[in-house]
């Protein structure tokens, strides 16, 4: 395939399997291509960028599993129609550096160090951690999503986020088909397992306490209000 694109550099690939057929999508520094039935064709999308695209498949758009493309801050869905593809622009200002789909068909995006999730109903969720997210791993067959932070590791499983302890520092990572995380540094390659009994949940400010504060406490306990300030992790810890 590379011989057919001698002047282009492949930046991303994604395989899509449907019934008895399999196709390979390629993003290069110049465009977006489909390898199918031993033929390579370029996809041209009116007014939408295709160079250096990230590609994933399976998150629904209008109830139909779609191919998702992220390029130059655009996010759009591709659906087949009459032996071609039609593009549907979804967002025009997401600086996506990683994009995956979990086994509940949610679309996970790494955006400027935070996590943005598009639910199957089209609603958006925005997650911020105490540290920047550096990498994101999930796949459509796995019950877990791995989130690497600057100095720690978190796994999402069963609708909850859990910290993972005793993980050595690593410089690169990838997710295996069995939902384990493979990590590597200059000294070793290791595999991080999901505990068979399920990880123990740790209570944290962003995921657990801050939502309670926003809904139940902020009316009286915000800064310069009638009661003690509980609006941050530090003031909550000091006053509760």
């Amino acid at each position: 395939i590379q011989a057919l694109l001698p002047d282009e550099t492949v930046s991303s690939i994604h395989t899509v399997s449907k019934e008895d057929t399999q196709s390979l999508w390629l993003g290069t520094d110049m465009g977006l291509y489909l390898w199918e039935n031993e033929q390579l064709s370029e996809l041209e999308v009116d007014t939408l960028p295709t160079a250096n695209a990230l590609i994933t498949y399976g998150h629904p758009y209008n109830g139909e599993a779609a191919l998702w493309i992220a390029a130059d801050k655009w996010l759009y869905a591709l659906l087949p129609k009459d032996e071609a593809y039609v593009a549907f622009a979804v967002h025009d200002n997401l600086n996506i550096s990683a994009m995956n789909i979990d086994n509940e068909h949610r679309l996970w995006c790494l955006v400027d160090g935070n996590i943005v999730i598009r639910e199957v109903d089209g609603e958006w969720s925005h997650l911020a951690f105490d540290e920047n997210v550096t990498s994101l791993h999930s796949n459509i067959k796995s019950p877990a999503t791995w989130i690497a932070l600057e100095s720690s590791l978190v796994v999402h499983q069963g609708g909850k986020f859990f910290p993972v302890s005793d993980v050595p520092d690593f410089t690169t990572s990838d997710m295996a088909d069995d939902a384990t995380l493979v990590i590597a540094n200059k000294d070793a390659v290791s595999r991080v397992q999901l505990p068979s009994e399920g990880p123990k949940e740790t209570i944290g400010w962003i995921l657990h306490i801050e939502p309670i504060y926003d809904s139940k406490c902020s009316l009286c306990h915000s800064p310069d209000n009638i009661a003690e300030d509980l609006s941050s992790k530090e003031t909550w810890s000091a006053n509760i």
Side-chain angles (χ1 to χ4, degrees):
I1 297 175
Q2 184 65 58
L4 301 174
L5 302 167
D7 299 322
E8 301 184 37
T9 301
V10 175
S11 56
S12 61
I13 57 174
H14 193 82
T15 302
V16 176
S17 299
K18 295 180 181 179
E19 298 177 351
D20 297 329
T21 64
Q22 190 174 71
S23 57
L24 179 66
W25 289 87
L26 301 95
T28 77
D29 56 348
M30 297 178 65
L32 183 64
Y33 297 86
L34 172 63
W35 174 261
E36 192 173 44
N37 299 324
E38 302 299 318
Q39 292 185 335
L40 185 68
S41 57
E42 183 176 6
L43 183 72
E44 297 182 0
V45 184
D46 291 341
T47 72
L48 292 174
T50 58
N52 296 310
L54 298 175
I55 309 165
T56 193
Y57 174 80
H59 178 64
Y61 182 83
N62 285 346
E64 183 177 352
L67 190 79
W68 288 83
I69 307 296
D72 195 22
K73 294 190 176 182
W74 283 87
L75 176 67
Y76 56 94
L78 291 177
L79 291 174
K81 182 179 180 181
D82 299 331
E83 299 184 357
Y85 285 86
V86 178
F88 299 89
V90 174
H91 208 297
D92 64 355
N93 192 29
L94 284 178
N95 187 30
I96 299 174
S97 55
M99 183 171 63
N100 295 295
I101 295 173
D102 66 13
N103 70 335
E104 295 186 14
H105 301 280
R106 290 172 295 206
L107 179 66
W108 292 70
C109 303
L110 174 53
V111 180
D112 296 326
N114 298 309
I115 299 293
V116 177
I117 303 173
R118 188 177 189 270
E119 305 288 346
V120 295
D121 61 1
E123 295 294 318
W124 294 90
S125 301
H126 298 259
L127 303 176
F129 295 85
D130 293 335
E131 305 174 88
N132 283 335
V133 178
T134 58
S135 63
L136 170 70
H137 300 287
S138 65
N139 66 56
I140 204 165
K141 296 181 180 179
S142 169
T145 296
W146 295 92
I147 302 167
L149 307 176
E150 291 173 326
S151 62
S152 58
L153 183 64
V154 174
V155 63
H156 178 269
Q157 187 179 20
K160 297 180 180 180
F161 293 85
F162 305 95
V164 182
S165 58
D166 301 323
V167 177
D169 292 338
F170 56 92
T171 55
T172 187
S173 57
D174 197 12
M175 188 175 186
D177 289 341
D178 62 357
T180 60
L181 186 70
V182 180
I183 60 175
N185 55 33
K186 64 182 181 65
D187 299 317
V189 176
S190 308
R191 187 184 294 268
V192 183
Q193 302 279 353
L194 287 171
S196 58
E197 70 277 8
K200 295 180 180 180
E201 185 173 14
T202 298
I203 302 299
W205 169 255
I206 292 177
L207 297 178
H208 303 96
I209 300 174
E210 189 174 26
I212 297 174
Y213 165 81
D214 288 338
S215 64
K216 304 292 185 181
C217 311
S218 59
L219 183 62
C220 299
H221 292 274
S222 56
D224 301 321
N225 212 321
I226 60 175
E228 289 180 308
D229 181 16
L230 301 178
S231 62
S232 69
K233 177 181 179 181
E234 292 73 22
T235 57
W236 183 282
S237 299
N239 295 316
I240 292 296

